[in-house]
Amino acid sequence: MKFILLIITFIWAQFTCAQIDLSKKFTHQFELGINYVDFFTKNKNLNSIASSFTLGYKSIIKEKHEIKFVLMGISSNLSYPITPNLGLFATSFISINLGYSFVLKPIKVLKVSLGGQLSYRFAGGEAAVFGYRDPTSPLSEPVEARLEYNSIGFSPNAELEYFITKNFGFGVNLNLNYYPFENAKLKGDGTNEPDPLYVQIYKPNNLNFTVTFKLAYKFSLSNFKKKK
């Protein structure tokens, strides 16, 4: 909650400063996108573009420095084969991200930027198969356990944007998201519980690569003042 309040305060401060005396130095940008996610596993069930979204805001300083806030939601396919492999088969979460990027020299309407961000992952987790109700049957129903994400990570990223007009454009974001401190543990449904040793050795997924295809709207508050 403190992290969210910090983000809100930051955005409010950016708008306030721009309205007071820095309107010519600041440009603002809102973004809306969908994601393709790779969790670096052999389970194709996880890599999904459905139900994955990104909402973003940038404060661009002198067209060179970008301070950005990104809200990202990820949800993989929840279905699995009749006899899935043991281990991770589905995941979903929301992440709040605060970052910085440096804009390389723009080429006309094309802009490339490189940077990184801190990320807080929560409001979801993952499900893993830990056994089968009848191990002797190939059609046995799998039993699963779940864990809830709650960790801070970071991600280096790159962005490519192309503006069709002065205000509207589209682009792609590339993020390698790493959560090294995730230590959530699997829990069963109260009736079927995974073996304590399996719980101990099971490691939550802590690495993913996202490709975000986005639409962007860029504006300056000084332009709005001129119109008034």
Side-chain angles (χ1 to χ4, degrees):
M1 186 64 184
K2 292 182 179 179
F3 192 87
I4 297 175
L5 291 175
L6 177 63
I7 296 298
I8 294 174
T9 302
F10 165 77
I11 295 176
W12 173 83
Q14 294 300 314
F15 274 101
T16 301
C17 290
Q19 289 175 335
I20 295 174
D21 59 2
L22 299 176
S23 58
K24 294 182 180 180
K25 297 181 180 180
F26 280 81
T27 305
H28 306 277
Q29 183 170 311
F30 289 110
E31 301 176 355
L32 174 64
I34 56 175
N35 311 305
Y36 174 80
V37 191
D38 189 337
F39 290 92
F40 299 102
T41 74
K42 295 181 180 179
N43 187 347
K44 296 181 180 180
N45 191 62
L46 294 176
N47 301 331
S48 173
I49 199 171
S51 302
S52 300
F53 71 90
T54 288
L55 298 175
Y57 161 78
K58 287 181 183 177
S59 179
I60 307 168
I61 307 169
K62 296 182 178 180
E63 298 296 329
K64 292 184 179 181
H65 308 280
E66 298 179 334
I67 307 298
K68 50 191 176 182
F69 167 66
V70 179
L71 178 67
M72 179 180 291
I74 302 294
S75 181
S76 69
N77 194 340
L78 295 178
S79 64
Y80 48 62
I82 296 176
T83 55
N85 295 325
L86 295 178
L88 175 65
F89 77 87
T91 182
S92 64
F93 60 87
I94 293 175
S95 67
I96 297 176
N97 308 274
L98 178 63
Y100 165 83
S101 60
F102 178 78
V103 180
L104 304 182
K105 187 175 181 179
I107 306 174
K108 295 183 179 180
V109 293
L110 187 65
K111 184 178 73 172
V112 179
S113 58
L114 301 175
Q117 59 189 27
L118 292 176
S119 177
Y120 173 54
R121 180 172 67 167
F122 68 105
E126 62 189 50
V129 173
F130 66 87
Y132 303 92
R133 299 192 187 283
D134 182 5
T136 63
S137 172
L139 300 178
S140 176
E141 181 182 354
V143 287
E144 62 187 62
R146 298 177 180 272
L147 59 81
E148 297 181 359
Y149 292 139
N150 183 21
S151 61
I152 295 176
F154 59 89
S155 64
N157 55 68
E159 299 184 29
L160 177 66
E161 298 174 345
Y162 180 85
F163 280 85
I164 305 171
T165 69
K166 183 178 179 180
N167 301 102
F168 291 95
F170 60 90
V172 60
N173 296 354
L174 306 176
N175 291 272
L176 181 63
N177 308 293
Y178 182 45
Y179 299 89
F181 309 112
E182 184 65 72
N183 59 2
K185 299 298 183 182
L186 287 172
K187 296 181 180 179
D189 58 8
T191 302
N192 299 287
E193 294 292 334
D195 184 275
L197 179 60
Y198 184 77
V199 173
Q200 187 66 31
I201 64 175
Y202 183 88
K203 301 298 182 182
N205 183 279
N206 63 0
L207 184 67
N208 67 74
F209 179 71
T210 60
V211 181
T212 303
F213 304 96
K214 65 182 182 182
L215 297 175
Y217 174 70
K218 183 168 61 174
F219 63 96
S220 173
L221 294 180
S222 62
N223 292 338
F224 287 104
K225 290 182 177 181
K226 290 179 181 179
K227 291 180 181 180
K228 292 180 181 181

